[in-house]
Amino acid sequence: MKKFKKRINIDNATSFKLEYRDGNGEMKEKEFTSYKSMEQFHSRQEAFLYLDYHRYAIVNDKWHRFMKLRSPFVFQEELDFINKTFSEKNESENIHNYSIEEN
């Protein structure tokens, strides 16, 4: 018989972490006490040379990676994007360097 996995509830998260690249191209991470403060930081940074990569929430003393969806309805295109995002390593590191060189 299959074992049921316990569902992770984002409401039980005690801390959040955002991995991003700044204008210098350095990978950085910043921790937040609430999801709202993380989203406020993210919205303020979009005007700069800023790329966000991964979002994490700590639930039951373990970091879990998650992503914010645009809609509660997920179509096949979004599923493909989600699978690609969670399964492959981040190849967009070079994209950021190219955009700096072009400017």
Side-chain angles (χ1 to χ4, degrees):
M1 191 168 194
K2 265 188 177 180
K3 262 189 166 179
F4 291 105
K5 286 187 175 183
K6 189 173 183 179
R7 189 171 189 181
I8 301 167
N9 191 348
I10 195 80
D11 296 328
N12 295 337
T14 56
S15 184
F16 296 88
K17 181 169 50 172
L18 179 67
E19 287 183 348
Y20 64 96
R21 286 195 184 272
D22 62 357
N24 299 330
E26 297 176 28
M27 183 66 96
K28 294 186 177 183
E29 60 183 45
K30 187 170 175 92
E31 287 193 34
F32 302 90
T33 56
S34 70
Y35 180 75
K36 183 178 179 180
S37 61
M38 182 175 71
E39 286 302 314
Q40 287 174 341
F41 173 81
H42 173 69
S43 65
R44 287 191 305 263
Q45 297 301 316
E46 288 183 340
F48 305 102
L49 288 175
Y50 161 85
L51 293 172
D52 65 321
Y53 285 97
H54 304 295
R55 297 164 192 251
Y56 296 92
I58 192 164
V59 180
N60 298 329
D61 298 324
K62 184 178 177 187
W63 287 106
H64 298 277
R65 192 168 139 200
F66 72 96
M67 74 182 329
K68 180 181 171 185
L69 298 176
R70 296 175 285 193
S71 167
F73 304 103
V74 180
F75 293 97
Q76 186 63 45
E77 293 174 358
E78 284 93 12
L79 280 176
D80 295 340
F81 174 75
I82 291 168
N83 287 333
K84 181 180 172 189
T85 301
F86 279 106
S87 63
E88 71 181 19
K89 289 194 175 192
N90 216 341
E91 295 176 0
S92 56
E93 294 175 4
N94 296 331
I95 293 173
H96 186 70
N97 293 336
Y98 292 135
S99 65
I100 292 172
E101 291 172 3
E102 289 175 2
N103 295 331

